[in-house]
Amino acid sequence: MVRETICAIATGMGNSGIGIIRLSGKDAIPIADKVFRGRKRIADMPSYTAAYGNIVLESGQVLDEAVVLVMRAPHTYTTEDTVEIDCHGGSILLKKVLELLLRNGARTAEPGEFTRRAYLGGRIDMSQAEAVMDLIHAKNEMALSSSVHQLKGALGEKIREMREKILYHTAYIESALDDPENYSLESYPQKLDKDVDNLLKDVDNLLNSYENGRLFQEGIRTAIIGRPNAGKSSVLNMILGEERAIVTDVEGTTRDTLEEVVNLNGILLYLIDTAGIRDTVDIVEKIGVDKARENIGKADLVLYIVDGSQPLNENDEWIIKALAGKKVITLLNKNDLKTVVDRYHLEKLLKQSIFGEASKEEPVILEISAREGTGKEALIERLTNMFFNGKLSYNDELYLTNARHKEALSEVKESLLRVKQSIEMEVGEDFYTIDLMAAYESLGRIIGEALEDDLADKIFGEFCMGK
Ligand code: GDP
C-alpha cells in the first residue's frame, strides 16, 4: 500500500539547541532533496549515513544549516524511507522548515502516525506500539523498564503463546468434527478443561498485575492525614526531600489543590492535596472533615500521622474511623520526644477500624521523627511490601499497564469460563469453539491481529496435512 509522506517535528517544542524533523514515506528522500543542499544528493547517500548542508527556501535563501540522516526502507522505525533533518532548535525555525517540507509534498503526521506505520508495516505489534507511548510518558525507572519490556515484545509473545494454544484446540475440534475417523474426541474435553485452566491462570496473573502496572505508571495516590500539628507538613518535607519531581496545578481544580509526584527510590507517590498541608492553616480546619474524608477515599495509600508526644484526641478518633478498608501506614511521629501515646492501644484501634476485629492482619505503625528525618528507609521498605510484594525488581515479569489490554483480557476470561461451563454441561464440542474463538479474538485485539487468515491457515495447513 502506498502511503503519503508524512513529516513532523520530533523533538520538544521549547527552544533547544537542536531540533529534529522527521520525514517518512515513499517520497521522503526526493522531498528532502528538494530542500537540502549538501555536497551530495540524499538520493545518492547510502542508508544510515549523514550529510552536512543547508536547508534552502524556494527563493534560494538559506534557512539554516543542517545535518540530514537517511534511513532506507524497510530497516527503519516506520519500515518506510525515512529522513531526519537535524537543525537548530528554535521553534520558529523548526516550523519554517516544516512548512517548507509541506509545500514540497509532505503532509503533517497525525499523533502517533510514525508508530502506527511501524505497526502497519508489521515491524511491531499493537502492544509494542502502545509501549512506545508508555515509554515516552514513563515517570520513573520502573515504569520505564516495564515499557521497554513490553516494547521488546514480551506481552505480545505471551499473548501469541496463549492464542496458539487456543487455536490448536479450535483447529483440533473442527478437524475432528470434519474427519472423525482420523481425529478422536474421546476424553478430549478433560484435556481441554486442563488446558483452559492453565490459560485462565495466565490470564489471572496478567489481570492481577494490572494494579501494580498502574501504580508503576501513575504512582500510588497518597493522602497524608493527621490532626493539626501532628507533623504532616514536616513529613511531607521529609518525603519530598531533594527529590521533588513534578509540581502541577491539576486542571479543573482550584489553585490550592496542589498535587505533587515524588519518586521514593523508584516508588512513585502521587501526593493528594498537598496545599492543604503546606498552608499554615491545618487541612482539617481549612478544607473540612468531609474533604479530608474524600481524600482518604480516593487514596491508594493513607499516611496517617500521629503526634506521639501527645495523647490521642477526638480528631484522631474520626480519622481512625475513616480508615476502614484502606491501605494505611501509620507514622508515629516525634519519637525524638517522650512518647505518651500507648502504641498497643493505637494498634488495637487501627486494627479494629482498618481490618475488623476478626482479621489476622496487623496494622503497620512506624516510629519516626520528621524533625530529625529518621524513618524514611523503613517507610520505603513498608511501601515495597505493601504494594509490590516486597520486591521492586520486575525484570522478567510482565505487567499489564494498559486499560485496553485489561478490558480485552477480562473478556478472554469470561469466554474461557464459558468454555469450562460447556465442558461441565457436556453440550457438545462445537459449542466449545465458539467461546474459544471469542477468547482468541479478544487476545488478538491486544496485539492488533485480525483472525480470519491465520485460523484458515492453521486448520487447513497444519491439521489436514496430505489431504
Ligand atoms: P502539621 O500541622 O500536621 O502539618 O504539623 P507540622 O509539620 O507543621 O508540625 C507541627 C509542629 O510539630 C511544628 O512545630 C514542628 O516543628 C513540630 N514537629 C513536627 N515533626 C516533629 C518531630 O518529629 N519532632 C519534634 N520534636 N517536633 C516535630
Side-chain angles (χ1 to χ4, degrees):
M1 197 209 306
V2 179
R3 300 190 192 99
E4 293 164 290
T5 299
I6 51 172
C7 65
I9 298 170
T11 42
M13 276 310 283
N15 289 338
S16 53
I18 285 177
I20 298 176
I21 291 178
R22 182 147 71 157
L23 266 168
S24 173
K26 111 184 140 35
D27 294 328
I29 292 171
I31 292 174
D33 257 332
K34 284 194 213 163
V35 308
F36 179 74
R37 298 281 170 275
R39 245 186 262 156
K40 284 199 236 184
R41 278 158 37 88
I42 300 170
D44 299 328
M45 287 165 57
S47 189
Y48 283 97
T49 58
Y52 169 81
N54 287 317
I55 302 294
V56 181
L57 286 171
E58 293 90 339
S59 63
Q61 186 198 335
V62 172
L63 202 53
D64 190 17
E65 52 181 0
V67 170
V68 294
L69 174 62
V70 60
M71 293 165 276
R72 293 175 189 279
H75 300 292
T76 68
Y77 183 72
T78 56
T79 74
E80 304 170 331
D81 280 347
T82 302
V83 177
E84 279 184 17
I85 301 174
D86 285 25
C87 41
H88 291 113
S91 51
I92 297 184
L93 173 71
L94 286 172
K95 273 193 201 137
K96 288 212 154 146
V97 178
L98 190 71
E99 282 160 12
L100 179 63
L101 292 169
L102 297 179
R103 289 199 297 276
N104 278 284
R107 82 158 160 78
T108 325
E110 286 158 25
E113 197 170 4
F114 289 93
T115 304
R116 174 189 230 137
R117 289 190 174 192
Y119 162 66
L120 290 173
R123 202 177 66 76
I124 55 174
D125 69 33
M126 191 61 98
S127 68
Q128 288 170 296
E130 285 162 321
V132 172
M133 263 349 259
D134 289 344
L135 188 68
I136 293 169
H137 293 299
K139 293 193 196 103
N140 66 356
E141 300 253 338
M142 270 186 289
L144 187 65
S145 176
S146 132
S147 319
V148 170
H149 201 46
Q150 187 175 323
L151 181 59
K152 281 194 201 141
L155 178 63
E157 209 172 286
K158 183 77 210 171
I159 298 295
R160 268 184 280 274
E161 191 189 298
M162 291 163 75
R163 289 182 102 213
E164 186 88 0
K165 284 184 191 150
I166 293 176
L167 204 50
Y168 170 88
H169 281 290
T170 320
Y172 191 87
I173 295 168
E174 298 281 336
S175 303
L177 293 173
D178 276 357
D179 183 5
E181 276 173 36
N182 285 309
Y183 299 98
S184 160
L185 285 173
E186 208 178 296
S187 73
Y188 171 76
Q190 288 81 339
K191 181 175 176 343
L192 176 63
D193 194 49
K194 212 170 124 217
D195 282 359
V196 168
D197 277 340
N198 287 330
L199 284 166
L200 276 168
K201 249 185 238 151
D202 287 342
V203 171
D204 276 335
N205 281 341
L206 282 171
L207 283 174
N208 291 338
S209 76
Y210 179 73
E211 193 52 16
N212 274 349
R214 179 179 74 82
L215 297 174
F216 281 151
Q217 298 277 8
E218 293 171 15
I220 300 168
R221 293 185 64 88
T222 305
I224 301 178
I225 304 287
R227 70 167 198 244
N229 281 323
K232 293 179 294 300
S233 51
S234 309
V235 167
L236 179 66
N237 287 337
M238 178 171 102
I239 290 176
L240 291 177
E242 297 300 311
E243 304 182 66
R244 188 160 82 208
I246 303 162
V247 182
T248 43
D249 284 329
V250 174
E251 230 175 281
T253 58
T254 49
R255 270 198 65 81
D256 58 7
T257 331
L258 200 66
E259 320 232 345
E260 301 192 57
V261 180
V262 57
N263 186 337
L264 271 188
N265 283 17
I267 303 175
L268 213 60
L269 296 188
Y270 188 106
L271 301 168
I272 302 171
D273 221 353
T274 54
I277 301 171
R278 279 173 179 283
D279 280 9
T280 42
V281 186
D282 190 79
I283 184 168
V284 177
E285 291 162 12
K286 183 165 177 268
I287 57 176
V289 173
D290 285 346
K291 178 73 184 188
R293 278 219 181 89
E294 190 188 318
N295 286 345
I296 293 177
K298 61 187 180 192
D300 300 312
L301 165 73
V302 178
L303 292 181
Y304 168 38
I305 319 296
V306 178
D307 182 346
S309 70
Q310 303 284 332
L312 299 179
N313 69 15
E314 70 282 356
N315 263 325
D316 290 295
E317 275 166 31
W318 76 254
I319 292 173
I320 291 172
K321 285 209 185 90
L323 296 177
K326 303 299 295 187
K327 283 190 169 164
V328 182
I329 295 180
T330 301
L331 298 175
L332 194 51
N333 190 28
K334 310 196 187 181
N335 81 345
D336 52 303
L337 303 174
K338 186 174 172 328
T339 305
V340 304
V341 168
D342 178 351
R343 184 174 165 146
Y344 295 100
H345 177 62
L346 175 64
E347 211 163 277
K348 206 166 143 224
L349 293 177
L350 285 167
K351 180 177 167 142
Q352 239 168 23
S353 168
I354 301 173
F355 306 113
E357 190 80 68
S359 168
K360 287 209 166 61
E361 294 206 61
E362 297 295 334
V364 178
I365 301 179
L366 298 176
E367 290 181 29
I368 65 159
S369 165
R371 172 170 287 177
E372 297 189 346
T374 55
K376 194 164 167 179
E377 283 67 34
L379 173 62
I380 292 171
E381 194 190 316
R382 285 304 182 146
L383 281 172
T384 315
N385 280 325
M386 200 173 253
F387 288 92
F388 304 109
N389 302 324
K391 65 179 169 69
L392 284 173
S393 117
Y394 49 94
N395 283 333
D396 303 325
E397 268 174 67
L398 267 180
Y399 283 96
L400 214 56
T401 53
N402 182 302
R404 195 180 71 79
H405 299 170
K406 182 189 175 221
E407 197 185 311
L409 276 168
S410 305
E411 285 169 22
V412 173
K413 183 172 176 172
E414 274 170 38
S415 302
L416 291 176
L417 287 174
R418 275 201 299 276
V419 175
K420 275 185 73 74
Q421 221 173 23
S422 303
I423 295 172
E424 202 177 308
M425 287 159 52
E426 298 179 20
V427 291
E429 284 76 9
D430 40 351
F431 273 85
Y432 309 158
T433 54
I434 298 171
D435 291 315
L436 283 171
M437 285 324 287
Y440 180 84
E441 253 181 274
S442 302
L443 285 170
R445 287 221 315 276
I446 295 176
I447 48 176
E449 244 165 62
L451 97 134
E452 293 81 9
D453 293 345
D454 41 355
L455 176 62
D457 289 349
K458 192 84 173 186
I459 292 177
F460 298 112
E462 197 170 308
F463 277 86
C464 304
M465 247 183 300
K467 291 205 171 191

